[in-house]
Amino acid sequence: MRSETSSTRDRDAAAFAVREVIELLEVLWAQGRDVTPTAPVSTSQLRVLYILDRGQGINLRTLGEELGSAPSSVSRMCDRLHALGFIRRSPSSASRRELELRLSGRGRNYLKDLRARREKALLGVVTAMSPAERAALVDGLSGFRTAARPAPEAGEPHAGAAETA
């Protein structure tokens, strides 16, 4: 009974800490919009780019399922990203009626640059941590990222630790 209460307290403390970190990151992103602007894409469009970065060659239906969005909304977002040159559409190898969506070179470069600018903005905070705290942060965030990923469908390989978003 005692270990169950302790486990519940640990779980609740972890959830509280994660929420606080997320709120702090939101504040840091808001303060650093000049340093790390996401323009010319919206937050929703940025999510599309992250999904395509992980899963090249997916169709609109699959993208809509991952976003939890209506097909018309997904289609409009992809139209805008295509107009910016961030994604490419090509006929599906599985079905002539479907299009596959992929990041273009420009889209990959945009994400690479955005991630580098965000990492640079976070470097000051991470540098202020001790080596042991940084190691614990990496371990904890790795576990958090793994737990946050949806379980793979039957027959699908589980995404590796190298995946980033």
Side-chain angles (χ1 to χ4, degrees):
M1 179 80 168
R2 184 167 171 83
S3 67
E4 198 172 300
T5 302
S6 176
S7 176
T8 300
R9 257 186 274 138
D10 289 348
R11 183 200 66 205
D12 292 348
F16 179 80
V18 168
R19 180 192 50 82
E20 283 190 321
V21 167
I22 290 169
E23 289 173 359
L24 178 60
L25 286 172
E26 288 172 339
V27 169
L28 287 172
W29 284 166
Q31 290 173 347
R33 291 224 194 270
D34 294 337
V35 177
T36 60
T38 60
V41 300
S42 68
T43 302
S44 298
Q45 292 167 339
L46 188 57
R47 279 187 66 210
V48 169
L49 296 178
Y50 288 147
I51 290 168
L52 292 179
D53 190 41
R54 288 191 320 266
Q56 291 284 315
I58 66 174
N59 61 29
L60 281 171
R61 181 182 43 77
T62 302
L63 179 59
E65 288 169 2
E66 286 203 40
L67 291 169
S69 297
S72 58
S73 297
V74 175
S75 183
R76 281 191 305 273
M77 278 192 287
C78 288
D79 288 345
R80 290 181 193 118
L81 290 169
H82 185 260
L84 289 169
F86 286 0
I87 65 171
R88 289 184 293 120
R89 297 174 175 154
S90 57
S92 170
S93 56
S95 169
R96 293 187 323 218
R97 298 183 328 165
E98 292 182 355
L99 290 175
E100 290 181 343
L101 303 169
R102 299 180 191 291
L103 280 181
S104 66
R106 184 173 182 190
R108 273 192 296 284
N109 288 337
Y110 170 80
L111 284 181
K112 181 180 175 183
D113 180 60
L114 178 66
R115 287 172 172 151
R117 287 183 286 135
R118 285 183 168 178
E119 287 173 18
K120 185 177 179 182
L122 292 172
L123 208 52
V125 175
V126 174
T127 300
M129 299 170 70
S130 72
E133 289 169 330
R134 285 193 296 267
L137 178 66
V138 169
D139 288 344
L141 290 176
S142 293
F144 182 84
R145 186 175 54 228
T146 299
R149 281 194 193 117
E153 300 278 332
E156 286 183 16
H158 185 59
E163 178 183 309
T164 59

